[in-house]
Amino acid sequence: MLRRVGKLLALTLAITGSSIAVAADKVRFELDWLPGGDKSPVYVGIQQGFFADEGLEVSISVSRGSTDALTKLATNQADIGIADIAALMAARAQDKVPVSAVFNIFNQAPHAFFTLSTSDIKSINDIASKRVATSPFTSSNAFLPLLLEANGLPRDAVSLNRTDPGALGPMLITGNTDAIIAWVTNVALFQAQAASAGREIRVIPWSEAGLELYSSSIVASDRFLDSRPEVARRFLKAYRKSLEFTNANPEVAAADLHRMVPEVDPAVAAAQVTDTMKLVFNNVSEADGLGVMTPERVKQTWVYVAEANELELDSLDPESVINRSFMPESD
């Protein structure tokens, strides 16, 4: 009898020990905005099991902009997430924000002008003196004067009408503005809005008019990187797989997103994925590698950020915000 009890106890301990050994490491991921096709890779990682394969259990929270996301990372409300590297640079130039960029997502600027196809605005140079609507808190507003100057226009060539982001599409479609400023990740959304009114959209990306810089990136709290480095490495390995899967399978990626966020239209999300991946997989990623942040482009990004935010160029060593030691190896 005692021998039988002993065997049962040993079996129980073995099972318990095995459960502890395979328990997933929890990671808190912070979005910099609401879920959409451009945010789908992290949802893909969960639904396709890429994170689970690395022994990770990832939860997702939502922020209202990069500054909000950085604040949550800096105050231990999240471990890792998405933010514009421009916002991180500006924050680090003015304060000791304990957050670092570990993987680049958008290697091209996502900013753009959107007009109707019937508009006489066909290039950056046609925007002078036009009515332009924009969101009050988008980072595009800070870069606009630099874009105008780079294209031979006065910095004040455009007077902005700041309005709720949800009103931008309707304003353009109804003719209450000549153009709007938005990200190319939202092309599908505005095209759908225009199509419902029998209109078509023209997109003028700023990256094609000289604005070359890094943008959305994976950023992590230094506390997380220091205390759980192997978890961070496994997360980025899985996230890279998610990016590659998303690029190859936009409809599946959109379905994965919709499964977790039912209010997202999967058709619109799939189109957003296709538009977004152009900022990730392109000639820059082919030359430098997926997620890689080269010193040269990091420096150029900081030059833009410093000028846009009226910061002294020597107020930050841009390399100080980059931590390349967690970059996943190419397969």
Side-chain angles (χ1 to χ4, degrees):
M1 182 66 178
L2 288 174
R3 187 186 310 173
R4 184 178 177 185
V5 171
K7 288 182 178 180
L8 288 172
L9 180 59
L11 179 61
T12 301
L13 289 173
I15 293 173
T16 303
S18 174
S19 298
I20 293 173
V22 299
D25 290 302
K26 295 184 178 181
V27 177
R28 299 169 299 170
F29 189 84
E30 195 71 28
L31 295 180
D32 60 346
W33 196 245
L34 302 175
D38 58 320
K39 312 298 183 190
S40 59
V42 69
Y43 294 92
V44 166
I46 293 173
Q47 291 295 308
Q48 296 298 322
F50 298 138
F51 292 127
D53 290 344
E54 294 297 328
L56 304 176
E57 180 183 332
V58 177
S59 60
I60 303 172
S61 297
V62 173
S63 292
R64 290 285 181 168
S66 291
T67 300
D68 188 22
L70 291 172
T71 298
K72 291 177 179 176
L73 287 163
T75 56
N76 196 28
Q77 297 177 63
D79 301 311
I80 193 166
I82 297 175
D84 195 320
I85 196 172
L88 176 58
M89 287 179 169
R92 285 282 289 270
Q94 301 169 80
D95 198 4
K96 301 294 183 181
V97 180
V99 179
S100 299
V102 293
F103 187 96
N104 174 251
I105 305 174
F106 296 173
N107 57 51
Q108 294 282 12
H111 321 286
F113 287 123
F114 289 66
T115 70
L116 294 177
S117 61
T118 53
S119 169
D120 60 355
I121 304 173
K122 299 179 180 179
S123 70
I124 298 296
N125 296 95
D126 299 324
I127 203 70
S129 302
K130 298 294 186 179
R131 298 172 300 164
V132 179
T134 184
S135 165
F137 42 76
T138 177
S139 60
S140 304
N141 298 339
F143 290 113
L144 176 60
L146 308 186
L147 175 77
L148 296 173
E149 186 175 65
N151 286 271
L153 297 172
R155 285 183 167 225
D156 59 354
V158 172
S159 179
L160 297 179
N161 175 15
R162 291 171 169 79
T163 188
D164 183 270
L168 293 176
M171 285 181 67
L172 179 62
I173 294 165
T174 58
N176 287 314
T177 187
D178 299 314
I180 62 173
I181 294 174
W183 284 19
V184 294
T185 55
N186 287 315
V187 169
L189 175 63
F190 292 120
Q191 283 180 335
Q193 291 179 350
S196 66
R199 314 297 290 272
E200 294 182 357
I201 294 290
R202 175 183 296 133
V203 183
I204 306 173
W206 295 4
S207 60
E208 296 178 3
L211 194 66
E212 295 276 337
L213 73 161
Y214 290 132
S215 182
S216 291
S217 302
I218 296 294
V219 297
S221 75
D222 293 339
R223 170 202 47 77
F224 172 64
L225 298 177
D226 292 340
S227 64
R228 297 200 287 165
E230 286 308 312
V231 174
R233 289 189 178 91
R234 282 186 275 134
F235 178 90
L236 287 174
K237 179 181 178 182
Y239 187 84
R240 180 191 172 102
K241 287 182 180 179
S242 298
L243 265 181
E244 293 171 334
F245 184 93
T246 299
N247 184 51
N249 306 277
E251 290 82 10
V252 178
D256 285 345
L257 170 63
H258 176 69
R259 195 170 291 114
M260 295 184 67
V261 190
E263 59 268 29
V264 172
D265 184 325
V268 172
Q272 287 178 320
V273 169
T274 299
D275 293 329
T276 297
M277 290 299 107
K278 296 173 185 177
L279 300 173
V280 183
F281 296 88
N282 48 44
N283 61 331
V284 177
S285 61
E286 288 176 4
D288 301 333
L290 183 62
V292 173
M293 294 171 282
T294 66
E296 296 78 15
R297 201 171 181 87
V298 167
K299 182 179 179 180
Q300 181 58 55
T301 299
W302 168 238
V303 170
Y304 279 122
V305 173
E307 189 171 358
N309 292 276
E310 298 182 346
L311 298 168
E312 294 294 332
L313 203 57
D314 61 1
S315 63
L316 175 75
D317 174 5
E319 281 293 309
S320 68
V321 310
I322 311 296
N323 189 332
R324 297 185 179 87
S325 61
F326 296 90
M327 279 290 299
E329 295 182 3
S330 301
D331 294 333

